[in-house]
Amino acid sequence: TINKQHGKFNSRVQLIKKSSSIDGGNKLGGYTLLNLATNYGINDNAKVSLNIKNVADKDYTIVNGYNQLGRTVSLGITYKF
């Protein structure tokens, strides 16, 4: 994970690498995921954030028989009272 602060922006790049594994006697393939995130501080109380997980929309399995999410994008606003 790499974080970079630039002015009011705070950005993060995360690379996750997993080798193959065994689940219940079944071999699961390895995978590599790229996640990106950034937020912008509007003021001391508010920020806007954008997160993109699984940027490459990689198909992968953590537990045999259960699909994982593809690319997900979320946009949010945080405000402290």
Side-chain angles (χ1 to χ4, degrees), residues 2 6 9 11 23 33-34 37 39 45-46 50 52 69-70 74:
I2 299 171
H6 183 73
F9 283 96
S11 300
D23 178 43
L33 300 176
L34 175 64
N39 64 58
N45 296 329
L50 173 66
I52 306 172
L69 292 174
S74 62

Side-chain angles (χ1 to χ4, degrees), residues 12 34-38 48-57 69-77:
R12 182 183 76 232
L34 175 64
N35 300 322
L36 303 174
T38 192
V48 176
S49 60
L50 173 66
N51 295 297
I52 306 172
K53 294 185 177 180
N54 193 3
V55 172
D57 200 21
L69 292 174
R71 180 183 310 117
T72 59
V73 178
S74 62
L75 178 64
I77 297 174

Side-chain angles (χ1 to χ4, degrees), residues 2-68:
I2 299 171
N3 290 305
K4 174 68 175 164
Q5 179 80 34
H6 183 73
K8 292 186 175 192
F9 283 96
N10 185 6
S11 300
R12 182 183 76 232
V13 176
Q14 181 182 45
L15 189 66
I16 299 170
K17 175 69 177 164
K18 172 78 170 151
S19 62
S20 62
S21 60
I22 304 294
D23 178 43
N26 298 310
K27 184 174 181 178
L28 304 176
Y31 56 88
T32 302
L33 300 176
L34 175 64
N35 300 322
L36 303 174
T38 192
N39 64 58
Y40 176 78
I42 297 169
N43 57 39
D44 289 342
N45 296 329
K47 70 178 177 180
V48 176
S49 60
L50 173 66
N51 295 297
I52 306 172
K53 294 185 177 180
N54 193 3
V55 172
D57 200 21
K58 175 77 176 168
D59 290 328
Y60 65 103
T61 303
I62 294 176
V63 177
N64 195 34
Y66 292 89
N67 295 327
Q68 300 303 305

